[in-house]
């Protein structure tokens, strides 16, 4: 074994950077576990000098939520893609969960987390992290599921020829093929979760409001006090954090993910991240990374879950059918019990007439969501294709789009309220764009990912045959990006339903604007603490999302899988 080399100047810079990050994370984690009793007031100050500390706390929550989101994605996205019986449960469940409002998740989970960590700040922290997780996980899982369903047969056959086990195939075929789309969806999910941080860091339990230190609670307090300079400080802090995200995390990951593209673009190798250059010039750190690479190689090459055709076929038969039948019976029974409990709980306090009115409110919000998704598709699909087909522009636009996607709709409240009040605009129409401000980027990011993944050979063939205009869109681009677009549209629509809770009830200081819709109804009931009506509103929203997914998005998913995969 050779001795470790002497460190150079690059090593010192890299070690200083790594140690700084570790110290900040350790400090932030320690702050999360401080003693806390429900009822104590956590002071939140609008002094801008507190923003770096608040930013650290918010970033830690988002990163922890992202780690859990990736774990959820790898387990449940893979199960849904590989097993049709699991798919019938997981995909509709994700459809439901992505439409459940963050307020509802917080109301349900906060009591449990506080009971789990009595006398500690970890209870509210875990509730906030779980709420942020719910704003990240569904989109990433759907993207991974869609990618696994469209892995080309050539790659599957190659994995079979090399006798890769399920574990090896997952890490060496499935994850690499899904990596470009997965990374783009991680970026947009991280940015979009800023939209929900405001709600996640301001928790109400037992009629007491817990405001956790973070940028979200800072924005919430600034909006409550109609403090425009503080809103401006929060915007600047968010810009700095997003740029640090881009430089320290996403740009190096983009460089790394380029190696997993379906084909290599020889004309452009992608802009080199300065962080990658820094670590490549080190001596000691590079030698350490080689050792880490060996451990990673051992991990991904474990021959776990080896395919054994004879064993599988032997188990298929009457016992297999009995197990499947029992599974569906248990599933139906659990669904029936859950529906009975919900109906009994709600209709003890709510009349049937009011429930019909709530369905009418859901219809109004649904029309807003679908109209806005159609408008966003018309705008962002051409823009996404233009950017995605020009790799040099991807690196330029990537941080810009992340910044735009990260802006919580709350920051636009002053502008919206002033415009509506000053010009006497229709609240029903002009508060609606707030619903897609944070979610339209799912469409743009996924279209960029789809256009970036188009094989160069396909574009060259189109150029050689002089395929242009509408024929180019119809035969080359739209089929190529369609699986990615469907994933983006599904998650954008789910996010828009969720965002309606903020967008249909706009507050700025003492000015309140309410649009007629299900989002405003849920906000009103959450503020009152009326749980039966909150449950009714949430259930109606879930039913609308499931219905639209069954009649619209599911058939489009099937078309994407059967006619638009890269074979």
């Amino acid at each position: 074994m050779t001795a470790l080399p002497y460190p150079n100047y690059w090593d010192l810079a890299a070690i200083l950077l790594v140690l700084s990050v570790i110290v900040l994370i350790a400090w932030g984690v320690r702050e999360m576990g401080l003693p806390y009793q429900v009822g104590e007031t956590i002071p939140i100050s609008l002094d801008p000098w507190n923003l770096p500390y608040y930013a650290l706390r918010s970033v830690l929550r988002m990163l922890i939520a992202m780690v859990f989101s990736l774990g959820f994605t790898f387990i449940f996205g893979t199960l849904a893609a590989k097993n049709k019986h699991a798919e019938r449960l997981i995909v509709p469940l994700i459809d439901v969960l992505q439409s459940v409002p963050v307020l509802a998740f917080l109301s349900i989970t906060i009591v449990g987390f506080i009971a789990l960590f009595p006398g500690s700040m970890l209870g509210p922290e875990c509730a906030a992290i779980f709420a942020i997780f719910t704003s990240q996980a569904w989109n990433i899982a759907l993207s991974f599921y869609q990618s696994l369903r469209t892995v080309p047969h050539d790659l599957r056959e190659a994995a079979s020829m090399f006798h890769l086990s399920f574990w090896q195939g997952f890490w060496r075929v499935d994850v690499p093929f899904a990596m470009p789309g997965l990374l783009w969806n991680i970026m947009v999910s991280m940015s979009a979760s800023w939209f929900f941080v405001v709600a996640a860091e301001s928790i109400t339990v037992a009629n007491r409001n817990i405001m956790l230190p973070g940028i979200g609670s800072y924005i919430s307090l600034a909006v409550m006090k109609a403090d425009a300079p503080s809103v401006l400080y929060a915007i600047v802090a968010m810009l700095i954090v997003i740029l640090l995200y881009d430089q320290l995390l996403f740009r190096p990951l983009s460089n790394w993910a380029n190696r997993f593209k379906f084909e290599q673009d020889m004309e452009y190798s992608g802009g080199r991240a300065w962080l990658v250059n820094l670590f490549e010039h080190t001596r000691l750190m590079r030698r350490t990374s080689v050792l880490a690479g060996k451990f990673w190689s051992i991990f991904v090459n474990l021959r776990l879950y080896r395919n054994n055709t004879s064993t599988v076929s032997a188990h298929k038969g009457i016992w297999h059918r009995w197990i499947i039948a029992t599974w569906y019976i248990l599933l139906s029974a659990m669904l029936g019990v859950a529906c009975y409990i919900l109906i009994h709980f709600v209709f003890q306090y709510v009349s049937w007439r009011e429930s019909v009115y709530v369905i009418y409110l859901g219809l109004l919000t649904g029309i807003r969501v679908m109209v806005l998704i159609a408008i966003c598709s018309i705008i962002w699909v051409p823009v996404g294709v233009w950017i995605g087909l020009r790799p040099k522009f991807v690196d330029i636009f990537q941080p810009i789009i992340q910044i735009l996607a990260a802006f919580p709709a709350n920051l636009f409240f002053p502008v919206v309220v002033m415009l509506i009040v000053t010009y006497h605009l229709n609240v029903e129409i002009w508060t609606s764009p707030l619903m897609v401000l944070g979610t339209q980027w799912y469409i743009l990011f996924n279209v960029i990912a789809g256009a970036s993944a188009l094989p160069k050979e396909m574009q060259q063939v189109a150029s050689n045959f002089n395929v242009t205009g509408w024929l180019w869109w119809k035969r080359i681009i739209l089929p190529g990006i369609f699986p990615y677009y469907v994933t983006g549209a599904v998650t954008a629509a789910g996010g828009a339903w969720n965002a309606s809770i903020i967008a249909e009830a706009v507050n700025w200081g003492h000015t309140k604007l309410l649009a007629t819709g299900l989002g405003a109804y849920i906000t009103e009931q959450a503020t009152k603490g009326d749980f039966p009506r909150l449950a009714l509103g949430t259930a109606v929203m879930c039913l609308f999302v499931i219905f639209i997914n069954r009649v619209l998005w599911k058939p489009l998913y099937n078309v994407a899988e059967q006619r638009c995969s890269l074979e």
Side-chain angles (χ1 to χ4, degrees), residues 43-296:
I44 302 294
S45 168
L46 291 182
D47 184 345
W49 290 106
N50 289 316
L51 277 169
Y53 172 68
Y54 292 162
L56 173 67
R57 297 291 296 270
S58 294
V59 166
L60 275 179
R61 290 182 195 113
M62 294 167 75
L63 288 177
I64 293 170
M66 182 54 68
V67 170
F68 282 101
S69 298
L70 275 177
F72 175 88
T73 294
F74 285 157
I75 294 171
F76 292 97
T78 306
L79 270 175
K82 306 280 187 183
N83 187 304
K84 64 179 181 181
H85 302 295
E87 180 191 20
R88 287 172 187 157
L89 172 66
I90 293 171
V91 174
L93 198 60
I94 291 177
D95 290 343
V96 172
L97 291 174
Q98 72 171 338
S99 62
V100 175
V102 170
L103 286 175
F105 277 119
L106 281 170
S107 303
I108 295 168
T109 58
I110 179 63
V111 177
F113 279 119
I114 286 178
L116 194 61
F117 300 102
S120 170
M121 185 74 82
L122 279 176
E125 288 284 357
C126 287
I129 290 169
F130 183 77
I132 297 170
F133 163 86
T134 61
S135 67
Q136 296 176 342
W138 323 133
N139 165 57
I140 303 172
L142 281 177
S143 162
F144 193 65
Y145 160 77
Q146 173 261 315
S147 296
L148 296 196
R149 292 296 299 265
T150 54
V151 173
H153 287 302
D154 293 347
L155 290 179
R156 295 276 182 226
E157 288 176 4
S160 177
M161 287 174 61
F162 285 109
H163 302 289
L164 298 185
S165 66
F166 179 87
W167 179 262
Q168 291 170 316
F170 176 76
W171 290 109
R172 298 176 69 176
V173 175
D174 294 338
V175 174
F177 180 78
M179 188 52 69
L182 188 65
L183 181 60
W184 277 98
N185 278 284
I186 288 173
M187 286 190 283
V188 71
S189 294
M190 187 66 94
S191 294
S193 59
W194 282 104
F195 187 84
F196 298 101
V197 160
V198 179
E201 292 180 349
S202 181
I203 304 168
T204 301
V205 57
N207 295 321
R208 296 177 184 275
N209 187 248
I210 304 172
M211 296 188 80
L212 297 171
I215 289 188
S217 53
Y218 184 94
I219 292 171
S220 182
L221 188 62
V223 169
M224 199 186 304
K225 293 187 175 181
D227 189 336
S230 295
V231 171
L232 189 63
Y233 295 141
I235 291 173
V236 173
M238 285 179 59
L239 283 175
I240 295 171
V241 171
I242 294 164
L243 287 174
L244 287 174
Y245 264 150
D246 178 65
Q247 293 298 314
L248 296 178
L249 185 63
F250 291 132
R251 195 154 297 241
L253 282 176
S254 295
N255 282 177
W256 174 73
N258 279 337
R259 67 179 68 180
F260 301 124
K261 291 180 70 173
F262 192 61
E263 54 83 36
Q264 293 295 319
D265 183 353
M266 302 304 292
E267 293 179 1
Y268 180 70
S269 59
R272 298 287 291 169
W274 64 266
L275 192 66
V276 175
N277 286 330
L278 169 65
F279 279 91
E280 283 188 346
H281 282 85
T282 60
R283 290 181 190 152
L284 185 62
M285 297 291 282
R286 285 188 66 189
R287 184 67 66 87
T288 309
S289 68
V290 170
L291 187 63
K294 288 181 179 176
F295 280 112
W296 176 252

Side-chain angles (χ1 to χ4, degrees), residues 374-390 443-444 447-448 451 472-473 477-478 481 485:
I375 293 172
C376 290
S377 300
I378 292 170
I379 294 171
W380 293 121
V381 168
V383 174
V385 169
W386 188 85
I387 295 173
L389 293 180
R390 292 162 178 80
I443 296 175
L444 178 59
V447 171
I448 291 175
W472 181 75
W473 281 92
I477 295 300
L478 292 181
I481 65 168
Y485 166 75

Side-chain angles (χ1 to χ4, degrees), residues 24-37:
L24 283 174
I25 291 175
W27 181 45
V29 170
R30 187 186 71 85
E31 293 288 301
M32 285 182 173
L34 291 177
Y36 172 76
Q37 296 294 336

Side-chain angles (χ1 to χ4, degrees), residues 191-452:
S191 294
S193 59
W194 282 104
F195 187 84
F196 298 101
V197 160
V198 179
E201 292 180 349
S202 181
I203 304 168
T204 301
V205 57
N207 295 321
R208 296 177 184 275
N209 187 248
I210 304 172
M211 296 188 80
L212 297 171
I215 289 188
S217 53
Y218 184 94
I219 292 171
S220 182
L221 188 62
V223 169
M224 199 186 304
K225 293 187 175 181
D227 189 336
S230 295
V231 171
L232 189 63
Y233 295 141
I235 291 173
V236 173
M238 285 179 59
L239 283 175
I240 295 171
V241 171
I242 294 164
L243 287 174
L244 287 174
Y245 264 150
D246 178 65
Q247 293 298 314
L248 296 178
L249 185 63
F250 291 132
R251 195 154 297 241
L253 282 176
S254 295
N255 282 177
W256 174 73
N258 279 337
R259 67 179 68 180
F260 301 124
K261 291 180 70 173
F262 192 61
E263 54 83 36
Q264 293 295 319
D265 183 353
M266 302 304 292
E267 293 179 1
Y268 180 70
S269 59
R272 298 287 291 169
W274 64 266
L275 192 66
V276 175
N277 286 330
L278 169 65
F279 279 91
E280 283 188 346
H281 282 85
T282 60
R283 290 181 190 152
L284 185 62
M285 297 291 282
R286 285 188 66 189
R287 184 67 66 87
T288 309
S289 68
V290 170
L291 187 63
K294 288 181 179 176
F295 280 112
W296 176 252
S297 178
I298 294 171
F299 175 74
V300 301
N301 284 306
L302 292 172
R303 297 189 69 79
L304 298 174
Y305 311 113
R306 298 172 68 174
N307 293 325
N308 188 332
T309 322
S310 59
T311 305
V312 172
S313 58
H315 282 80
K316 284 191 173 178
I318 189 163
W319 285 109
H320 185 261
R321 286 196 292 273
W322 268 106
I323 291 171
I324 297 299
T326 307
W327 161 248
Y328 282 116
I329 290 170
L330 282 174
L331 205 59
S332 303
M334 286 191 291
L335 185 63
V337 171
C339 288
Y340 172 78
I341 293 172
L342 179 65
I343 290 170
H344 182 70
F345 174 66
V346 169
F347 288 101
Q348 274 185 318
Y349 307 96
V350 183
S351 67
W352 286 99
R353 187 172 182 177
E354 183 175 343
S355 64
V356 172
Y357 177 68
V358 175
I359 293 172
Y360 164 72
L361 294 178
L363 189 63
L364 292 180
T365 302
I367 292 171
R368 285 195 186 101
V369 169
M370 298 314 295
V371 169
L372 290 168
I373 292 299
I375 293 172
C376 290
S377 300
I378 292 170
I379 294 171
W380 293 121
V381 168
V383 174
V385 169
W386 188 85
I387 295 173
L389 293 180
R390 292 162 178 80
K392 291 180 181 177
F393 289 98
V394 171
D395 283 343
I396 297 172
F397 284 102
Q398 178 182 311
I400 296 173
I401 299 170
Q402 281 183 58
I403 290 169
L404 293 173
F407 269 79
N410 313 54
L411 298 182
F412 294 93
F413 284 5
V415 179
V416 172
V417 170
M418 280 189 284
L419 285 175
I420 290 176
V421 172
T422 305
Y423 295 102
H424 305 288
L425 301 175
N426 189 334
V427 177
E428 308 292 345
I429 297 174
W430 293 102
T431 55
S432 298
L434 292 172
M435 291 169 62
V436 292
L437 278 178
T439 59
Q440 60 183 328
W441 311 109
Y442 288 120
I443 296 175
L444 178 59
F445 269 59
N446 277 281
V447 171
I448 291 175
S452 302

